Amino acid sequence: MRKQHNWIDVMEIRINRPLAFSEIGRKDNQEDFTYPLIGNLSESDRLFVLCDGMGGHESGEVASQTVCEAIGSYFKHNERAEGISVKDYFSAALDYAYDCIDEKDTGGERKMGTTMTCVCFHSSGVLVGHIGDSRIYQIRPSLYDSKSGRLGIVYQSEDHSLVNDLLKIGELTPEEVEDFPRKNVITRAIQPNQERRA
């Protein structure tokens, strides 16, 4: 639905009740965390964050919960100043999340870490951001066609992973990806006390 505002054609974005699910998979404990929490989603939500703690590292569930809650809290308690871009505002929220995870650092050798994906609907459009290999998809069901194999995917974020980097430079074929022994290695993550933040 389009509305005319001050001679500018603006698309109105309506959100139905968001749906979500989580599955533990082969892990011993749940290391995923969402904002808002899966049971608390409503039509008024405009910010959605998913973090997946890094398996094989210390306290992945602590990292994912800390980052999710920090970004959500920043958006909830810091009103966006007039004129500031959503990207700048989100960068400030991400810095706050890094500060929070820095405080939880135990100094262990295998530092905690998490991936992060974010979708934020705002008056000018949609901001998407991600670090790691938790994906964001935009799916348009009207484009799905089983005969041609078209899935209706309009947008898909690109994994920050070793296997994706090797695929992009031609070192691996799509067929080789399935059996690649290090396909769980990510090249970007949120970890405490990093010299250079992702």
Side-chain angles (χ1 to χ4, degrees), residues 130-136 155-161 164-165 168 188:
H130 75 290
I131 296 171
D133 64 352
S134 296
R135 290 189 192 149
I136 298 169
Y155 167 82
Q156 173 184 329
S157 58
E158 193 171 289
D159 290 357
H160 301 126
S161 65
N164 191 49
D165 289 349
K168 283 192 323 192
R188 289 187 200 172

Side-chain angles (χ1 to χ4, degrees), residues 167-187:
L167 193 60
K168 283 192 323 192
I169 62 171
E171 290 291 319
L172 286 178
T173 66
E175 295 77 30
E176 292 172 321
V177 166
E178 287 303 313
D179 298 320
F180 187 67
R182 298 178 60 207
K183 65 180 174 183
N184 65 331
V185 175
I186 59 176
T187 56

